Amino acid sequence: SRTGCPAFLSKFIVIVGIPMDELKEKKILVVDDQPQLLRMVDEILRREGFTRVFLAPDCARAMEQLRAVKPDLAVLDVMLPDMDGFTLCQTLRQTHLWPIIMLTAKVEDMDKIMGLTLGADDYITKPFNPLELVARVKTQLRRYTRYNAKEAAAAAQPAEEHEVNGLFISKTTHKCTLYGQEISLTPLEFSILWYLCERRGRVVPSEELFEAVWGEKYFDSNNTVMSHIARLREKLHEQSKKPKFIKTVWGVGYTIE
């Protein structure tokens, strides 16, 4: 391996760095059949703050480590004694989305294309500068961590639209369509349908529906909800005895399944 680190690479490593406390939590799996290279990679990663580095000399041991430690990133050598790294990469990609960096002594473009096509995120040709590997590891982890954070944030946001068996309702456009045809709903009808769609699969009591939509106290003799549900069903072309969308749970309330 080459030693030393060019000035521009040192700056690059700082730029792509992620907080040290986050580094300590990331688990790195390194798979290579050369003991000296494994020790070198382990040493440089730990020196850079990665305290959870796991090593494997072949694919069999890599699969054992995979089940035991659930890594956040894998570094795979292409040439392994029991299975080539391309096949291992493809196998991992079937069930895992975390970053994979391939190591190879080959320099042919087709080998790089093969690895990337099978699911690798990055490629490093041997011999390599150890700090270059660290920089690429940090970059891939940063991208993956940010992607997961965005996905989690998006999942936490309340849905702006719902689709139920051909019925589509959007809070953004305040429109409702049935099999592609727009349905004209009053603001109250839209609010009732939206409230039920948001709670799809749960029975919503009439009292809860009235107080949520009208913002007033519900009284036992109040038939307002029932009449609005009836009009909604007409607009949705519902059969009174066997409604497809808004179903009545007698003595309790309404639900959309």
Side-chain angles (χ1 to χ4, degrees):
S1 300
R2 297 193 301 268
T3 57
C5 180
F8 78 91
L9 185 56
S10 298
K11 294 179 181 178
F12 177 70
I13 292 174
V14 172
I15 291 172
V16 302
I18 53 180
M20 186 62 68
D21 57 342
E22 290 187 26
L23 290 181
K24 292 178 180 179
E25 296 302 317
K26 302 302 179 184
K27 292 173 284 188
I28 313 297
L29 174 63
V30 184
V31 186
D32 197 291
D33 61 344
Q34 300 178 34
Q36 185 177 358
L37 186 142
L38 280 179
R39 288 195 298 270
M40 181 269 290
V41 173
D42 181 46
E43 180 182 345
I44 191 66
L45 287 175
R46 291 182 183 279
R47 189 186 303 166
E48 289 292 319
F50 294 95
T51 60
R52 307 176 76 180
V53 183
F54 303 88
L55 309 177
D58 52 42
C59 292
R61 181 59 179 158
M63 296 306 292
E64 293 177 7
Q65 293 276 35
L66 179 71
R67 290 187 289 269
V69 305
K70 296 180 173 57
D72 298 294
L73 179 145
V75 179
L76 309 179
D77 185 24
V78 171
M79 303 298 293
L80 295 168
D82 53 349
M83 179 192 298
D84 66 82
F86 292 137
T87 303
L88 178 58
C89 175
Q90 188 175 29
T91 301
L92 296 180
R93 267 293 167 261
Q94 293 175 1
T95 53
H96 302 285
L97 297 176
W98 30 256
I100 296 175
I101 299 175
M102 303 296 294
L103 297 179
T104 182
K106 299 181 179 181
V107 296
E108 289 83 357
D109 288 339
M110 284 307 299
D111 289 305
K112 296 182 180 180
I113 294 172
M114 173 74 76
L116 296 173
T117 301
L118 293 176
D121 297 278
D122 206 350
Y123 216 102
I124 299 180
T125 303
K126 298 177 182 178
F128 56 86
N129 188 313
L131 293 180
E132 179 184 358
L133 175 62
V134 172
R136 291 175 184 266
V137 166
K138 289 182 178 181
T139 297
Q140 291 300 328
L141 283 175
R142 182 190 62 175
R143 289 175 180 170
Y144 184 65
T145 300
R146 288 183 178 178
Y147 174 80
N148 281 351
K150 289 179 180 179
E151 288 288 296
Q157 294 295 322
E160 293 297 319
E161 57 188 38
H162 294 283
E163 193 279 327
V164 182
N165 300 325
L167 173 66
F168 179 83
I169 184 170
S170 171
K171 195 172 185 179
T172 304
T173 61
H174 212 76
K175 291 183 179 180
C176 177
T177 61
L178 181 61
Y179 307 125
Q181 299 296 317
E182 186 171 346
I183 300 174
S184 178
L185 299 179
T186 67
L188 281 174
E189 290 167 350
F190 184 94
S191 296
I192 292 171
L193 187 57
W194 179 262
Y195 194 86
L196 292 174
C197 284
E198 272 196 316
R199 290 150 185 81
R200 183 178 179 181
R202 180 169 78 83
V203 179
V204 178
S206 299
E207 301 94 313
E208 177 186 333
L209 187 58
F210 181 85
E211 293 178 2
V213 174
W214 277 265
E216 300 175 7
K217 183 67 176 177
Y218 180 87
F219 297 99
D220 291 338
S221 58
N222 196 328
N223 293 320
T224 304
V225 172
M226 185 184 299
S227 61
H228 278 76
I229 292 290
R231 286 199 293 271
L232 255 177
R233 283 175 171 160
E234 289 179 8
K235 293 185 177 183
L236 297 177
H237 308 294
E238 295 264 53
Q239 298 180 18
S240 57
K241 293 184 179 180
K242 294 183 64 177
K244 181 179 180 181
F245 300 107
I246 304 175
K247 299 183 179 182
T248 301
V249 179
W250 296 107
V252 183
Y254 304 93
T255 184
I256 290 182
E257 297 179 345

